[in-house]
């Protein structure tokens, strides 16, 4: 067992890590353009945070959390999603006392004990943003447009944006009674999970993936038809702002999201590139969550985007992530004295910001040239005893085969003049 990664986890090997770095850098740069700053929260939190913040009726809390008791007898849970931790940090560190809105982003692992599937592992990774302090539909549209910008920069053009309004506590209370009346005669035909949700959060039943439940819900009344004036106005404003940005959307009244904290705006980006229609990014507004966790009444909105699903989408669309810059210099030393001087040259080149490598396994000269080829080095430097005595090195352009002698002290200048690894 110790020779295998735990089920539902995956190593990111050096051959692929550059793809992750590229996406992370692109996300950071996009967030910077939108005025968001990075926040980092712990990988584990007190279990109560997720029970109160995510909701006891959710699949995440009921079935999927990695929860354990630490040596102090405290119930601890590995982070199953990003928002609750960010809200906790916002409250604990009194960020609400600073000028609002507070706009943050994160890149984090999340852990859920669920059946591993394509694009979703038990340990997966998310990009996310959260904004606190604004009720305006314009900030909802900004959050959505940030996601849109990331997809456009990556060349993903045909992804589908679905939006909905899930109302507020005021109009949802009335709607829940209508919904429960509709479901009352169908309750015995619903799955056990939905029967529990019937009392605690009936709207979550609409989100059930059970085919039998979906059959019973074919004529279900929908929240969007029972919005109060404030929620209706907010939703119309959101559509207006998205239209101003030429962001196409579909109003999907069955989006309720899988977490209890959502209010008003709920949205999902849908792709067919990882099999059947799948949500590759989802989010929305959560105006009561900060207060629920112990802070002042503060509106909030955000999203989470799975990195593994994004990579899979790019792969299936045939979109290649740019490979990292190639190795600039490989040094080949012949003789003990040359070996020591080469080691010094290697260090000095790296100080100059020139990516450099040499053999550390005692390979033959021929084998070292082969190794330099495998590393895709732009230049190979050969330093033997004769060259060392003259203060020179032989430098070979591995693309053209051109070879010249240059002074040791001019190596860095020559590489930079040649354009390095471009």
């Amino acid at each position: 067992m110790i020779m295998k990664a735990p089920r539902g986890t995956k190593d990111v090997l050096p051959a692929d890590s550059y793809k992750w770095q590229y996406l992370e850098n692109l996300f950071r740069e996009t967030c910077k353009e939108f005025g968001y700053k990075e926040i980092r929260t712990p990988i584990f939190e007190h279990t109560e945070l997720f029970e109160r913040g995510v909701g006891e009726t959710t699949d995440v809390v009921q079935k999927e959390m990695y929860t354990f008791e630490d040596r102090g007898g405290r119930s601890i849970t590995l982070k199953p999603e990003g928002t609750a931790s960010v809200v906790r940090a916002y409250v604990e560190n009194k960020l609400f006392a600073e000028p609002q809105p507070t706009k943050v982003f994160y890149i984090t692992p999340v852990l859920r004990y669920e059946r591993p599937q394509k694009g979703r592992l038990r340990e997966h990774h998310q990009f996310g943003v959260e904004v606190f302090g604004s009720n305006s539909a314009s900030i909802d549209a900004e959050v959505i447009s940030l996601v849109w910008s990331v997809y456009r920069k990556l060349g993903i053009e045909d992804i589908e944006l679905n939006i909905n309004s899930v109302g507020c506590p005021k109009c949802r209370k009335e709607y829940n009674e209508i919904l429960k009346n509709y479901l009352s005669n169908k309750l015995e035909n619903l799955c056990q999970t939905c029967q529990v949700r019937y009392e605690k959060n009936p709207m979550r039943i609409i989100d059930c993936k059970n085919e039998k439940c979906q059959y019973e819900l074919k004529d279900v009344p929908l929240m969007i038809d029972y919005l109060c004036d404030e929620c209706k106005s907010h939703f119309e404003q959101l559509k207006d702002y998205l239209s101003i940005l030429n962001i196409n959307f579909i109003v999907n009244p069955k989006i309720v999201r899988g977490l209890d904290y959502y209010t008003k705006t709920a949205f999902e980006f849908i792709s067919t590139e990882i099999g059947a229609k799948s949500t590759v990014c989802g989010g929305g507004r959560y105006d009561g969550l900060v207060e629920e966790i112990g802070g002042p009444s503060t509106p909030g909105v955000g999203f989470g985007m799975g990195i593994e699903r994004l990579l899979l989408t790019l792969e299936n669309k045939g979109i290649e992530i740019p490979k990292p810059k190639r190795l600039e210099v490989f040094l080949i030393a012949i003789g003990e004295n040359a070996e020591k001087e080469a080691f010094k040259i290697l260090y000095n080149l790296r100080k100059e910001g020139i990516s450099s490598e040499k053999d550390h396994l005692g390979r033959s000269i021929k084998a070292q040239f082969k190794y330099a080829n495998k590393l895709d080095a732009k230049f190979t430097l050969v330093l033997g005893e004769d060259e060392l005595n003259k203060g020179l090195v032989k430098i070979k352009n591995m693309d053209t085969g051109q070879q010249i002698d240059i002074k040791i002290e001019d190596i860095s200048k020559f590489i930079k003049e040649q354009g390095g690894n471009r």
Side-chain angles (χ1 to χ4, degrees), residues 293-313:
I293 288 177
S297 179
T298 307
V301 61
F303 73 80
M305 178 194 302
I307 299 179
E308 285 87 351
R309 289 196 169 196
L310 180 55
L311 284 166
L312 202 54
T313 300

Side-chain angles (χ1 to χ4, degrees), residues 68-125:
F68 60 93
E69 191 174 283
D70 69 8
R71 292 184 180 182
R74 295 170 286 262
S75 182
I76 298 295
T77 294
L78 302 181
K79 184 161 54 180
E81 59 94 45
T83 301
S85 291
V86 175
V87 173
R88 191 269 310 149
Y90 177 81
V91 173
E92 181 179 353
N93 295 282
K94 296 182 173 58
L95 298 183
F96 49 78
E98 298 181 3
Q100 300 299 302
T102 296
K103 300 165 68 175
V104 298
F105 76 90
Y106 56 85
I107 301 173
T108 186
V110 292
L111 296 105
R112 298 185 186 180
Y113 190 84
E114 56 185 343
R115 183 176 62 83
Q117 54 185 293
K118 200 171 186 180
R120 173 60 65 87
L121 301 173
R122 288 178 175 175
E123 182 196 36
H124 55 281
H125 301 77

Side-chain angles (χ1 to χ4, degrees), residues 176-419:
N176 280 343
E177 291 304 313
I178 295 169
L179 180 59
K180 288 176 77 172
N181 286 336
Y182 170 83
L183 294 170
S184 59
N185 295 328
K186 302 173 180 291
L187 198 56
E188 62 182 21
N189 296 325
L190 301 180
C191 69
Q192 188 174 359
T193 300
C194 286
Q195 290 179 16
V196 172
R197 288 172 176 168
Y198 178 80
E199 293 297 336
K200 294 187 176 182
N201 192 350
M203 195 161 71
R204 285 292 325 285
I205 294 175
I206 297 172
D207 195 43
C208 183
K209 302 300 186 289
N210 185 298
E211 290 185 8
K212 186 177 179 182
C213 293
Q214 282 300 312
Y215 176 79
E216 297 294 334
L217 295 169
K218 59 184 178 180
D219 298 317
V220 66
L222 298 167
M223 181 74 243
I224 200 168
D225 296 321
Y226 297 90
L227 297 175
C228 64
D229 290 343
E230 179 187 343
C231 290
K232 191 179 298 182
S233 174
H234 186 276
F235 192 53
E236 291 303 315
Q237 289 174 43
L238 171 64
K239 291 190 284 186
D240 287 344
Y241 280 119
L242 292 175
S243 297
I244 288 169
L245 300 180
N246 292 319
I247 295 177
N248 297 322
F249 59 85
I250 295 171
V251 175
N252 181 349
K254 289 197 172 182
I255 291 178
V256 298
R257 301 294 296 145
L259 308 177
D260 285 356
Y261 51 61
Y262 285 108
T263 57
K264 295 182 179 173
T265 302
F267 67 87
E268 294 180 350
F269 282 86
I270 309 294
S271 173
T272 59
E273 295 297 331
I274 54 177
K277 276 195 172 185
S278 295
T279 301
V280 291
C281 175
R285 179 166 282 279
Y286 46 85
D287 290 344
L289 186 55
V290 174
E291 190 173 9
E292 175 66 29
I293 288 177
S297 179
T298 307
V301 61
F303 73 80
M305 178 194 302
I307 299 179
E308 285 87 351
R309 289 196 169 196
L310 180 55
L311 284 166
L312 202 54
T313 300
L314 292 170
E315 180 184 332
N316 290 342
K317 285 183 172 292
I319 298 173
E320 292 190 9
I321 291 175
K323 290 187 176 180
K325 292 180 178 179
R326 62 195 292 195
L327 180 69
E328 294 175 82
V329 173
F330 187 87
L331 281 83
I332 296 175
I334 306 169
E336 186 176 342
N337 292 329
E339 173 71 29
K340 292 178 180 177
E341 181 64 22
F343 195 69
K344 179 181 176 182
I345 293 171
L346 184 74
Y347 179 71
N348 288 332
L349 288 174
R350 289 168 172 172
K351 282 203 301 181
E352 290 284 328
I354 296 172
S355 59
S356 310
E357 187 58 274
K358 69 179 293 296
D359 176 54
H360 293 281
L361 297 180
R363 293 178 175 91
S364 68
I365 297 174
K366 183 178 179 181
Q368 287 188 59
F369 271 107
K370 285 185 177 180
Y371 185 48
N373 267 323
K374 286 184 179 179
L375 295 179
D376 194 28
K378 174 72 173 176
F379 297 99
T380 299
L381 274 59
V382 179
L383 180 65
E385 296 296 333
D386 288 344
E387 289 81 13
L388 183 59
N389 291 333
K390 296 175 183 176
L392 301 173
V393 296
K394 291 185 183 298
I395 184 163
K396 180 180 180 180
N397 186 314
M398 298 294 281
D399 293 332
T400 66
Q402 182 183 9
Q403 184 171 299
I404 60 173
D405 292 343
I406 63 170
K407 293 179 181 180
I408 290 174
E409 60 265 29
D410 292 337
I411 296 172
S412 175
K413 179 182 177 183
F414 176 84
I415 297 297
K416 290 178 179 180
E417 286 178 349
Q418 295 295 312

Side-chain angles (χ1 to χ4, degrees), residues 53-69:
V54 176
E56 293 184 10
T57 63
T58 63
D59 287 345
V60 172
V61 171
Q62 289 185 340
K63 305 174 184 178
E64 298 172 358
M65 294 201 311
Y66 279 94
T67 299
F68 60 93
E69 191 174 283

